[in-house]
Amino acid sequence: MRFPTLLSLVREHNILFIRGFMILFLSCITIRLNFCISSIPSSLKTLPLEGYINFDEVGHAARDFGNRYRYHPMAVVHPKSVSDIAVTIRHILQMGPRSQLTVAARGHGHSLHGQAQAHGGVVINMESLKVPEMQVYPGNSPYVDVSGGELWINILHASLQYGLAPKSWTDYLHLTVGGTLSNAGISGQAFRHGPQISNVQQLEIVTGKGEVLNCSLEQNGELFHSVLGGLGQFGIITRARISLEPAPAMVKWIRVLYADFTAFTRDQELLISAENAFDYIEGFVIINRTGLLNNWRSSFNPQDPVQASRFKSDGRTLFCLEMAKYYNPEDTDLANQEVEKHLSHLSYIPSTLFLTEVTYIDFLDRVHVSEVKLRSKGLWDVPHPWLNLFIPKSQIHNFAEVVFGNILTETSNGPILIYPVNKSKWDNRTSVVIPEEDIFYLVAFLASAVPSSNGSDGLEHILTQNKRIIEYSERGLIGVKQYLPHYNTQEEWQDHFGPKWEPFLQRKSRYDPLAILNPGQRIFQKATNLLMTTATI
């Protein structure tokens, strides 16, 4: 009887020893981890920067235009030079995978889902980067060299002094170059010139290794194409060379309405394939919007005021085709003739033709006027649960029937844009993912939510609608892709990229091996294993 008792004592002694060892081991890890975390700020403080790093005023870097996600960084770097960005990234890289520090480049903070945020990491304030000084190069193939943190509105003002302007735009110009080029940059000129990423000649990139590399079609071509539309996963854009073209002085801005979706899309597709037609083509959806034409009268003139005053929507869903013709004053007669000729081929409701003439800069910066009004009413800094989709031409009618006919009951929460673009104007070597068909549509649900509302204008209601639209698109349609994509799992990202996923993984491993860059996209987590492989990114 004594032997079992002795054996039990030995076992109990061993168990207590193992427990004590584990407690001591975990305590050492905790102490070491706490020491590492507490030492991070002091190590960052020693960085030899021309600019400065702030550990206190970081709250602004935890917000964005979407106004739904808030992840506070540990620090915000305000770089004065490209070297400041490279030094910061190299320092974090050298700390290895144990530090957990990540880096996010933040431009004007117009992201929607916290993509420019870095929880407990370092945010690079790209608007502080003012080098190189913007310089326009006129000539046979004009271009402008700009910082990745420069706003497009500033590029417009600078290039117009030489009678030049970039070819492709976004609807809102108070965005940074690096921000839009990391996505695509699309507006009503994309059918002709492609997105903004199709109009870039050169880039300067700081990779996830802290390397500063110049890239173009001829030099570091893989990195060049990877970064364009690459969602900030391969490097930070610190300089870009943007193609320019002669800028017009004036714009004929036209809106017409359709009650028939088939006629609406047929005319849009006709115009994007026509020569010398319009320079800008977009459209938007109008559901249960009364008094719409009266709202337009303050800035647009009806061609036939009497007929326009008699127009009644009768609760129908309407589709607005929006067009712009660029011209110079000396070519006014020719521009009028071309506008009249192309309008004569369209099947819009005759009484709904509205026209106005504005300067080129006023047309391009038109959204900023709305921003000023919304800010004055306190309606700008609200949640923006936007959803942007690329819909193949073959699927657009089924999409419209279900979404505009059943899921949505009104469009009072914000505009719904819909317009076609030509796939031939997009470079498939870039990282952006688009449908395979020759023509596809951008459909953008640009809603603003009332924070305190539980009704149809509340955040939860709009998110529920978005979810229904996404589920229908993924289940019932073929080839639909998100623009400005947002997913929560790597499996969803893999489905999004499709055949591009493996090259995307390989490039991530090559240019950002520890997955330091832009964690807010939620594609990768920072590596926690020194033996990095593609499979463990």
Side-chain angles (χ1 to χ4, degrees):
M1 296 297 292
R2 294 178 63 187
F3 179 75
T5 304
L6 179 61
L7 182 61
S8 299
L9 289 173
V10 171
R11 285 177 178 172
E12 185 176 348
H13 178 270
N14 288 341
I15 291 172
L16 290 173
F17 175 78
I18 292 171
R19 284 180 178 174
F21 176 80
M22 289 301 297
I23 292 172
L24 179 62
F25 177 73
L26 292 173
S27 298
C28 290
I29 291 178
T30 303
I31 293 170
R32 183 175 179 181
L33 182 60
N34 289 337
F35 174 77
C36 289
I37 293 174
S38 63
S39 66
I40 286 173
S42 60
S43 70
L44 291 174
K45 288 177 181 178
T46 64
L47 293 180
L49 303 180
E50 296 178 47
Y52 66 97
I53 185 167
N54 197 314
F55 295 93
D56 300 318
E57 298 175 4
V58 298
H60 70 285
R63 299 186 61 181
D64 59 20
F65 181 71
N67 207 12
R68 294 174 53 210
Y69 298 86
R70 294 191 182 183
Y71 298 109
H72 282 75
M74 176 178 289
V76 176
V77 173
H78 300 266
K80 192 174 181 180
S81 66
V82 175
S83 176
D84 286 351
I85 299 174
V87 165
T88 301
I89 293 177
R90 282 199 298 270
H91 177 77
I92 294 173
L93 184 73
Q94 290 165 3
M95 295 179 74
R98 293 190 182 94
S99 77
Q100 299 296 316
L101 275 183
T102 55
V103 177
R106 186 182 192 274
H108 206 52
H110 209 76
S111 56
L112 299 172
H113 301 99
Q115 289 96 331
Q117 299 175 25
H119 180 59
V122 176
V123 169
I124 308 289
N125 177 21
M126 294 301 295
E127 289 189 288
S128 294
L129 184 66
K130 297 299 182 183
V131 292
E133 184 178 346
M134 193 189 325
Q135 190 161 355
V136 177
Y137 295 85
N140 294 331
S141 300
Y143 62 86
V144 58
D145 278 338
V146 297
S147 161
E150 192 62 79
L151 296 179
W152 285 99
I153 183 64
N154 296 336
I155 299 173
L156 176 61
H157 285 295
S159 59
L160 282 178
Q161 295 180 21
Y162 295 83
L164 300 167
K167 302 174 182 179
S168 191
W169 298 95
T170 54
D171 288 330
Y172 180 64
L173 303 189
H174 296 253
L175 305 171
T176 58
V177 169
T180 65
L181 296 185
S182 295
N183 288 282
I186 183 173
S187 182
Q189 305 87 5
F191 77 93
R192 175 168 295 170
H193 297 294
Q196 291 181 318
I197 59 174
S198 293
N199 297 278
V200 181
Q201 297 179 15
Q202 293 181 13
L203 295 171
E204 180 185 69
I205 305 295
V206 180
T207 70
K209 297 178 180 179
E211 301 170 315
V212 181
L213 299 175
N214 291 313
C215 54
S216 64
L217 287 173
E218 297 79 20
Q219 181 182 14
N220 295 314
E222 182 187 62
L223 179 60
F224 178 72
H225 291 113
S226 299
V227 169
L228 294 173
L231 306 176
Q233 294 304 299
F234 311 109
I236 296 176
I237 298 173
T238 52
R239 181 182 62 82
R241 178 168 293 180
I242 310 296
S243 298
L244 302 177
E245 67 175 357
M250 299 295 295
V251 174
K252 292 186 179 295
W253 189 3
I254 302 162
R255 287 176 176 172
V256 294
L257 290 178
Y258 293 75
D260 180 14
F261 186 74
T262 298
F264 170 69
T265 54
R266 183 179 61 242
D267 283 357
Q268 281 193 317
E269 292 166 17
L270 172 69
L271 291 175
I272 69 168
S273 62
E275 294 291 335
N276 300 319
F278 294 96
D279 300 285
Y280 160 99
I281 296 168
E282 287 195 9
F284 51 92
V285 185
I286 304 159
I287 304 175
N288 285 340
R289 295 288 298 276
T290 59
L292 178 74
L293 299 188
N294 287 330
N295 292 336
W296 286 358
R297 290 175 194 275
S298 61
S299 52
F300 286 82
N301 299 313
Q303 188 182 53
D304 190 328
V306 176
Q307 281 198 54
S309 65
R310 297 172 181 170
F311 174 77
K312 303 294 181 184
S313 66
D314 297 324
R316 292 173 293 176
T317 295
L318 299 173
F319 306 95
C320 176
L321 174 56
E322 186 173 49
M323 302 157 282
K325 180 69 176 178
Y326 303 160
Y327 69 102
N328 290 312
E330 60 271 22
D331 300 320
T332 300
D333 291 340
L334 178 61
N336 287 335
Q337 293 172 14
E338 290 180 345
V339 167
E340 186 175 344
K341 178 183 72 173
H342 290 290
L343 286 177
S344 69
H345 297 148
L346 305 182
S347 302
Y348 58 88
I349 301 170
S351 62
T352 64
L353 175 58
F354 280 69
L355 312 93
T356 190
E357 295 181 356
V358 296
T359 65
Y360 182 60
I361 193 168
D362 284 344
F363 173 72
L364 291 180
D365 201 27
R366 61 196 179 279
V367 177
H368 185 57
V369 177
S370 299
E371 176 189 354
V372 172
K373 292 180 181 178
L374 291 171
R375 284 190 182 278
S376 67
K377 299 177 181 178
L379 298 176
W380 183 258
D381 296 320
V382 298
H384 295 96
W386 287 8
L387 174 63
N388 297 269
L389 300 173
F390 286 142
I391 312 291
K393 172 186 170 180
S394 65
Q395 306 293 319
I396 194 64
H397 288 272
N398 292 334
F399 180 87
E401 182 179 358
V402 172
V403 174
F404 305 142
N406 297 319
I407 296 178
L408 295 181
T409 58
E410 60 181 26
T411 54
S412 60
N413 295 328
I416 298 176
L417 305 183
I418 176 169
Y419 56 89
V421 294
N422 293 310
K423 183 176 182 289
S424 62
K425 303 298 182 180
W426 296 63
D427 191 334
N428 195 48
R429 293 171 293 182
T430 66
S431 293
V432 70
V433 180
I434 59 176
E436 291 298 322
E437 297 184 11
D438 291 340
I439 293 176
F440 59 91
Y441 281 75
L442 171 73
V443 184
F445 302 87
L446 309 181
S448 298
V450 177
S452 59
S453 174
N454 294 319
S456 61
D457 57 355
L459 178 60
E460 291 305 316
H461 178 82
I462 297 171
L463 289 176
T464 299
Q465 282 189 335
N466 287 352
K467 183 180 179 181
R468 291 180 62 193
I469 294 169
I470 292 172
E471 289 177 346
Y472 165 69
S473 299
E474 293 177 346
R475 181 184 67 252
L477 303 176
I478 299 173
V480 174
K481 295 295 180 181
Q482 282 194 34
Y483 175 56
L484 308 178
H486 169 66
Y487 299 101
N488 292 313
T489 68
Q490 197 172 83
E491 289 73 21
E492 291 173 317
W493 279 110
Q494 186 171 348
D495 289 340
H496 170 76
F497 281 104
K500 285 191 170 185
W501 176 246
E502 286 302 323
F504 198 86
L505 276 176
Q506 293 167 9
R507 293 170 177 179
K508 183 68 172 178
S509 180
R510 186 172 300 122
Y511 299 114
D512 183 21
L514 291 190
I516 289 172
L517 298 176
N518 274 39
Q521 289 285 358
R522 300 179 184 86
I523 306 175
F524 305 103
Q525 290 185 347
K526 185 175 179 181
T528 57
N529 191 328
L530 287 174
L531 300 176
M532 275 295 299
T533 65
T534 298
T536 59
I537 293 181

